[in-house]
Every structure is written in structure tokens, then in C-alpha cells.
Amino acid sequence: MKVSLSLDSSYSEDVAVVVDVLRASTTITVAAQNFGKIIPVKSIDDAQYLAKKYDAILAGERRGAAIKGFDTGNSPREISNFHGDVLVITTSNGTRIMEGIKAKILIGSFVNARAVAKEALNLASSHIELVMAGVEGRFAIEDYLGAGEIISHLQEHNLDENAMGAYMASLNENMVNNAVKNSRSARRLGELGLSEDVNFCLKRNLYDHVPVYANGSITGAQ
Ligand SMILES: O=C(O)[C@H](CS(=O)(=O)O)OP(=O)(O)O
Ligand SMILES: [Mg+2]
């Protein structure tokens, strides 16, 4: 099995794993425990329209802060206070890149790393591509290290050099945690009083569930 690592977009026609550690992948994985369906969308207007259409809970942020008038932001801790049939969510990076990927999409992070590696092997025929969400198209170390954690469960396969680098970078847990806590994204969340979200997003393998994005939505874990 070929395993590659890319930023912001995927060239795989097989299986892609979207990694947005801070925080969309983590938040969606938590939300999948409490919602029957999750609809990730790129724009605020689309989110508001779909939330009305489906009588859904509406979640989203821009630059880390909850969007005015929404039920909640993009906090994996706060989303666990909500449940229902449908959640509509829009975030700065993670939900934006899902719309552009042709492959079957899995949602990966530290909180479901082992499970997402296993599910990717179950679903892929020849190529698993990990897609770092990044921030506004730029490299974000938290997604590199989160991808590395997932790749640590795929290390016996045919890793490209980007994937090998991310795997090697993920091996020292203390260094990983410090690097993520000092990342630009984490610092921005800290300024918003959301440092506890960063600590939560660093927890390994809390969930065995892997959200799968297909035909515009994600089915919940129930
Ligand atoms: O909500 C988040 O933590 C980030 C905000 S920012 O891009 O780091 O400012 O969005 P996400 O789409 O979860 O990366
Ligand atoms: Mg992010």
C-alpha cells in the first residue's frame, strides 16, 4: 500500500484522510458520537441555509472564534454538549478542503489515529493519501504531526518521503505535544481562552470511530 502526505488538496482517487488536528477533525469525530448526520460546508451562507433546511444545530468559526448567531463554535469540548439528527459545521480550513477531494474521505486526528489507519487500510485498494488541512493553504505543524501519528500505524507500508518525515517527527510524544502547544493555531486559540481545546486535541486514540465523508455528509457513529 502506497502512503503519501499532501497539503490542502489530494490527488488520490482511492482513500484520502483529512487531518485538521486544531480543530475540525477532532470536533467532527466528537460530534459523530451525538449526531445522526454531519454536513461540513465551506461558506457561512451555505451553513445558515442548510441549518434552516434541516432544522440542524449550526456550528462554526472564523479565525478560531465562534460565528455570531451560530449555536456553537468549533470546540471539540463544547460540541459534546449538543446532540440531534443533523449538525451543520463550517470552519476556516478543514471543512473547506473536503469539498475539493474526489477520493473517499476519512476524518483523522490524534483522538482516532489508530482507528483511522485501520479503516484506511480496510477501504483503500492501493493508495492512502493523508491530507494536511494547514491554515489558509499554509503548512501547519499540528496537522503534520497528527498525520505522523496516523502514519505510525501504517509504517510497514510504502511511505513517500513526506509521510516518512511526518512519521519520524511524531515519534517523541513530549516533543510533539510541545510543538503543537506552541503552534500558531494553538497560540491563536490560547488568545481566545481555548487552550483546553488544544490539550483535548492532543489526546491519543479516545475514539475507535472514523467519520467517513461521502456525498456531502458524514454519518454519525450510532
Ligand atoms: O477552529 C480552528 O481551530 C481553526 C481556526 S484557525 O484556522 O486556526 O484560525 O480552524 P480549522 O478549520 O479547524 O483548522
Ligand atoms: Mg486547523
Side-chain angles (χ1 to χ4, degrees), residues 71-85:
D71 297 301
T72 189
N74 180 27
S75 165
R77 292 177 305 123
E78 290 169 13
I79 200 71
S80 56
N81 299 322
F82 295 84
H83 61 275
D85 294 336

Side-chain angles (χ1 to χ4, degrees), residues 19-25 61 74 91-94 133-136 140 142-143 185 188-189:
V19 182
D20 189 346
V21 165
L22 298 176
R23 299 167 288 175
S25 289
E61 60 67 44
N74 180 27
T91 74
S92 305
N93 309 290
V135 176
E136 293 164 0
E142 67 271 14
D143 297 336
S185 300
R188 180 164 39 249
L189 292 171

Side-chain angles (χ1 to χ4, degrees), residues 51 56 63 73 82 102 108 116 121 130 132 135 146 154 166 172-173 186 204:
R63 302 201 59 74
F82 295 84
K102 289 193 241 3
V116 79
L121 286 172
L130 290 103
M132 299 179 286
V135 176
L154 300 166
N172 183 317
E173 186 166 335
R204 273 66 168 175

Side-chain angles (χ1 to χ4, degrees), residues 5-202:
L5 176 64
S6 67
L7 171 63
D8 194 67
S9 55
S10 170
Y11 308 101
S12 168
E13 305 269 329
D14 197 348
V15 168
V17 179
V18 171
V19 182
D20 189 346
V21 165
L22 298 176
R23 299 167 288 175
S25 289
T26 310
T27 299
I28 288 171
T29 301
V30 174
Q33 312 307 311
N34 292 356
F35 286 90
K37 179 188 278 197
I38 300 165
I39 306 176
V41 289
K42 191 159 51 174
S43 78
I44 292 173
D45 288 348
D46 288 351
Q48 289 170 320
Y49 167 75
L50 290 170
K52 206 170 280 165
K53 180 178 175 184
Y54 294 111
D55 188 21
I57 296 290
L58 183 51
E61 60 67 44
R62 287 296 183 265
R63 302 201 59 74
I67 297 166
K68 202 163 174 306
F70 278 35
D71 297 301
T72 189
N74 180 27
S75 165
R77 292 177 305 123
E78 290 169 13
I79 200 71
S80 56
N81 299 322
F82 295 84
H83 61 275
D85 294 336
V86 182
L87 170 72
V88 173
I89 183 167
T90 178
T91 74
S92 305
N93 309 290
T95 60
R96 171 178 54 77
I97 67 171
M98 287 173 206
E99 291 194 13
I101 296 176
K102 289 193 241 3
K104 184 183 286 287
I105 299 176
L106 306 184
I107 308 298
S109 60
F110 283 107
V111 300
N112 70 345
R114 183 173 46 236
V116 79
K118 188 170 166 219
E119 184 64 3
L121 286 172
N122 285 341
L123 295 175
S125 48
S126 61
H127 180 194
I128 296 169
E129 180 149 80
L130 290 103
V131 186
M132 299 179 286
V135 176
E136 293 164 0
R138 295 193 314 273
F139 177 87
I141 194 163
E142 67 271 14
D143 297 336
Y144 185 69
L145 295 171
E149 178 74 16
I150 295 166
I151 296 165
S152 73
H153 300 287
L154 300 166
Q155 54 177 295
E156 67 276 19
H157 292 278
N158 172 23
L159 310 184
D160 75 0
E161 291 184 3
N162 290 337
M164 177 60 80
Y167 162 54
M168 292 165 66
S170 74
L171 291 174
N172 183 317
E173 186 166 335
N174 285 334
M175 279 182 70
V176 167
N177 291 348
N178 288 333
V180 172
K181 286 176 182 174
N182 289 295
S183 66
R184 280 178 308 180
S185 300
R187 286 201 299 272
R188 180 164 39 249
L189 292 171
E191 287 157 13
L192 293 167
L194 293 167
S195 296
E196 271 315 301
D197 275 2
V198 178
N199 294 331
F200 182 88
C201 292
L202 280 167

